[in-house]
Structures are given as structure tokens and as C-alpha cells.
Amino acid sequence: MSKVLLCTGLEYATQLMGVCAMDWRGTRAGRTALPGNDCNDGTCTAEGLDDALIVAYTVRMDDRNRLSVRRSVAGCCDMMLGSNVRIEAVPLDDCCLSCTIKHDLQALLSSLPQDAMAPNIAVILPKGVQAAPTAEYLREMQLVHDAFQHDGPRIHVQSIVAMLDSSTAKARIFDDSPFMQCEGADLGDESDAAGSGDYDERCVGGALAEVIADANHVVLLPDVKSQGDVDELTGLVEALGSEGCRVHFDVERLTIDDLDAGTRADSPCARSEGSQDRSDEGVSERLDGDAAVPSDERHGMGKSPQTPLTAEIAWASLGQDSLGLSIRSHSPVHPSRLSDLLADKSVPMHIHGHFAVPNKPFSAFVWEGDPDGSIIETVDHAMVDESQYQTEILVVTRISEGSQSVAAQEFVDRFQNLLVTHEESQRPLMSWMEQSDTFTRWASMD
């Protein structure tokens, strides 16, 4: 059975560099050198990588100003050197880009004879394309194959691996400029987008957050100038990643065996009380009933004028100018205070979560946000797991004044104060129906 890695990122060259930096046999022999990375024995060659097959997809604009997909297939060494590469065009066939690639990849892998299947296959997806749909499709097709056929090639999707350029990743996480899908286009270059017709609804930061959220593993490729930079970028990636994501920054020691679908501890901003690794940088506090909000002296947070219903609120510094905030509460969100926060677009942030409001008792709301803005959708209660919390929100943001500044404290307070307080929860339902804020007017249009 062949192991398949789905490799994603925002730059094709970064993905290719990361794949070729791996030791596919799980040993130090035959490692390809990266710029700035010298192997200890001084004998970095491409030898030993021939048993890995690379399938790389790229996207460009054709002569009619439409997306054009190309598939390149070669051994690892040949792909890196640009020799003996089989290149074919892949028609879109009126499908979305993700569907086109997953169908083509499955057809390609199914067509390979069993004796010609490489033990390790790395699939490099076009920049910004989420890998989860392709991984799920390949797994489903393998189940169908196993049920009805007893011969032919068999594959196992080992992991989704995001390859990031460490020197640019942090800036791009909070970049609100338009994302460019095509290879050769500069990320966030609006003038390039206007001429090419290559429009994407996402911003650069949003596309990068989606890539990270899909990944089981994130590989931070050189150049990282200091250990402090590594820690900061790792914290940001962990905060945006899924619960099973692991971050690697020492590529020289990375092997394919390291890239299973392992798990990691929760990110710093999502840890429960008492589990903070850096107690001097974060807070995790449970607020019950009329319990006092943490004081300025203890936690450096502003004191809330009133107390929300039972809530777990945690925040952590993710670097000099970045912080993460997690809110889990049985309390709904106050619609008027939410309207005020949504109107303020001065702080770039990533948001993921769900919440309820007291004046729409039979609806739940899903909240997704990136540096370019927020999207809130109304969903049925059954679509949101409210078994523990009515409100569950995770925020990762960049504060220009610093993560320990007064502005950062005010930011944390604004999110904490979104929650309906114990006193406000005693208001009769009809008084909530009389709200006239922007969010209530929008929600009432459903």
C-alpha cells in the first residue's frame, strides 16, 4: 500500500522545497539540502529519494483569461531538477478547482499498475486550495475499491501537510489583501488581479488560515532568525490549527514517519484553567454566578462592570503583538454590544465559533472571520453542538501596540463583555425583542 501525503501552502515553490527536504526513507542518508541548512556530514545529495513519486498541480491563466490546471508527475529528484517531468493539462469541466483536482488525482492513482506504485506519494496542491475534501474523497474511493475489487493499487492518505515559508507566514496570517490563485502572481497584488481575472473571494490571511486548519502537520521552512521567532510563529499556527495539528520547524530532522495523523495538546489560547504553559503571558478564568472578574493586579485585565453567566474565558500572548482568546459560556451574546464590535474593523483578527442571542431563542449563529471581515450565518440549533456552551468563540488577533498593552487589555474586555450578564438575563423576553441594533435588524430579516 502506498502512503499519500497531501501538501498545501500559499506558494508552490515552498511546497516543493519542503517535500524535497524530507527524508522519505526515515534516515539521514540522502537528504536534499535547503538554503541555509547544512547537513552534519556535509554530504547532502538527492540520492535515496527515488522511491518517492511527486504529483504536483499548478494553476495559471490561459489565453482566454480562464483558470488552467496542469498536472506534473515525476520522481522527487527529477521534480526538483525539472527533468523527466510528465506534464498534462487537466480540464476544469465546469467543476470547482477542488473537485477537478480530487477527481483527476483519484483517476491517476487508480490507473497506475500495482507494480509501478511508489511506496510514498506526495501530492502538491495548488496554493491556497484546501486539502481536506481531496483527502476525504480518496479515502471514500479506497473504501469502495476494497469492497468491490481485490486487486489493483491501494493507497492510504497518511496526512495533510502544510508547508509555510517562515519568513513571511506571520505577516500573511493577518494580511487582508486579495488572495491570488495563479502561480506567478504576487500574493495580495490587487493590480495583478485586476488584469488577470484571477479573483478569489478570500484574502491572503483567510486562505492561509484555511490551509492551516486543514493540516495534520505544519512544516515551517527556513528562514527563522531566532528561537523567539520560532516560538511566536508556532504559537500562532497552533492557535489557528485543528486539534490534531503538529508544528515542525526543524526540517532537517523531519522524516515521513513523523508525518502520521498524530495529535497535539490544545493551543495555548484554548487550554482550560490550570493548564497554561506560560502563566505570565495568559489567563484562564472560570466565572460562576456572581463571582468576581479577575482584578487588574492579578491578571492585567480590565474589570468588567458586571458578571456574565457561567463562563470559561482564557487568553494568551502568542508573541509580542499577537494574542489568542477563547470564550466558552452558557450565556448568549448581547446583540447591541456585538453590533458595536462588528462595526470596528481596526483590529485584524481570525474568528471561529458559534453563539446565541436572547432575542432569537430558536436560532444559533455561526461566526467565521478573517482579516478582511466577518461572516455570520443563521443555522438551526441542531447544527451546533450546544451540549456544553451556548457561546463558543476562538479569536486570534494582532495588536499593533503589543499583546501586553492597554489596547490588548481593552480588546479582551470587549469580547468578554459581549456576553449577557447575570443581571441582563433576568430581563423578560419581550424587552429583548425591542432591540433595534444593526445585528438584530439583520437577524430579523430571516
Side-chain angles (χ1 to χ4, degrees), residues 262-400:
T263 59
R264 64 161 174 83
D266 288 343
S267 60
C269 62
R271 291 179 181 139
S272 59
E273 182 177 8
S275 64
Q276 294 287 339
D277 286 345
R278 295 173 290 180
S279 58
D280 60 327
E281 296 182 358
V283 174
S284 183
E285 189 73 21
R286 185 179 180 85
L287 306 176
D288 295 296
D290 294 324
V293 176
S295 68
D296 297 345
E297 291 76 19
R298 286 181 55 197
H299 298 304
M301 292 175 59
K303 188 171 181 179
S304 175
Q306 295 182 346
T307 303
L309 301 177
T310 302
E312 293 179 358
I313 300 173
W315 70 278
S317 171
L318 302 177
Q320 293 183 352
D321 58 357
S322 304
L323 61 84
L325 170 67
S326 172
I327 297 175
R328 297 185 175 103
S329 177
H330 298 289
S331 175
V333 165
H334 194 295
S336 180
R337 293 197 286 270
L338 176 62
S339 294
D340 293 340
L341 189 145
L342 291 173
D344 182 3
K345 303 183 185 302
S346 60
V347 180
M349 66 185 86
H350 292 272
I351 300 173
H352 175 78
H354 64 84
F355 63 90
V357 290
N359 50 352
K360 295 282 286 186
F362 302 107
S363 296
F365 299 87
V366 174
W367 190 0
E368 299 287 344
D370 61 35
D372 195 35
S374 295
I375 296 177
I376 295 177
E377 295 181 321
T378 307
V379 297
D380 188 88
H381 272 291
M383 297 180 64
V384 175
D385 182 10
E386 293 185 336
S387 58
Q388 292 185 335
Y389 304 102
Q390 276 191 293
T391 299
E392 192 165 6
I393 301 172
L394 175 66
V395 183
V396 177
T397 188
R398 190 173 192 176
I399 306 292
S400 58

Side-chain angles (χ1 to χ4, degrees), residues 397-417:
T397 188
R398 190 173 192 176
I399 306 292
S400 58
E401 293 87 348
S403 61
Q404 301 296 328
S405 65
V406 172
Q409 296 168 18
E410 292 175 348
F411 178 86
V412 172
D413 289 343
R414 290 192 69 183
F415 268 89
Q416 175 180 302
N417 293 337

Side-chain angles (χ1 to χ4, degrees), residues 17 139 216 395:
M17 182 189 302
R139 294 186 183 107
N216 303 114
V395 183

Side-chain angles (χ1 to χ4, degrees), residues 18 22 41 97 174 375:
M22 295 177 192
D41 58 8
L97 184 58
F174 298 106
I375 296 177

Side-chain angles (χ1 to χ4, degrees), residues 82-160:
S83 61
N84 301 317
V85 180
R86 189 170 78 250
I87 302 175
E88 297 182 36
V90 178
L92 279 168
D93 292 333
D94 297 324
C95 290
C96 70
L97 184 58
S98 179
C99 289
T100 295
I101 290 173
K102 72 182 184 183
H103 294 154
D104 178 77
L105 177 60
Q106 194 276 330
L108 172 68
L109 297 179
S110 299
S111 67
L112 297 176
Q114 182 67 33
D115 57 0
M117 289 288 285
N120 302 302
I121 301 172
V123 179
I124 301 178
L125 299 177
K127 64 181 187 181
V129 171
Q130 291 183 263
T134 299
E136 185 61 27
Y137 182 74
L138 293 179
R139 294 186 183 107
E140 291 175 355
M141 291 299 99
Q142 188 61 56
L143 289 174
V144 172
H145 174 276
D146 293 345
F148 295 100
Q149 298 183 27
H150 302 289
D151 55 2
R154 300 187 71 248
I155 64 169
H156 167 66
V157 179
Q158 173 142 325
S159 281
I160 297 172

Side-chain angles (χ1 to χ4, degrees), residues 10-13 58-61 67 127 172 177-200 204:
L10 288 195
E11 296 168 299
Y12 175 80
T58 55
V59 177
R60 298 184 180 275
M61 301 302 296
L67 288 179
K127 64 181 187 181
R172 286 178 175 167
S177 55
F179 173 69
M180 298 293 297
Q181 180 66 70
C182 288
E183 297 300 333
D186 292 331
L187 290 175
D189 187 345
E190 297 185 55
S191 61
D192 198 355
S196 68
D198 173 29
Y199 296 105
D200 194 300
V204 172

Side-chain angles (χ1 to χ4, degrees), residues 28-69:
R28 290 186 56 80
R31 190 183 311 279
T32 301
L34 289 175
N37 271 20
D38 296 323
C39 293
N40 292 339
D41 58 8
T43 58
C44 293
T45 69
E47 182 183 359
L49 299 175
D50 293 331
D51 58 352
L53 180 69
I54 309 296
V55 181
Y57 290 91
T58 55
V59 177
R60 298 184 180 275
M61 301 302 296
D62 62 19
D63 295 337
R64 290 178 289 179
N65 208 33
R66 298 188 305 182
L67 288 179
S68 173
V69 182

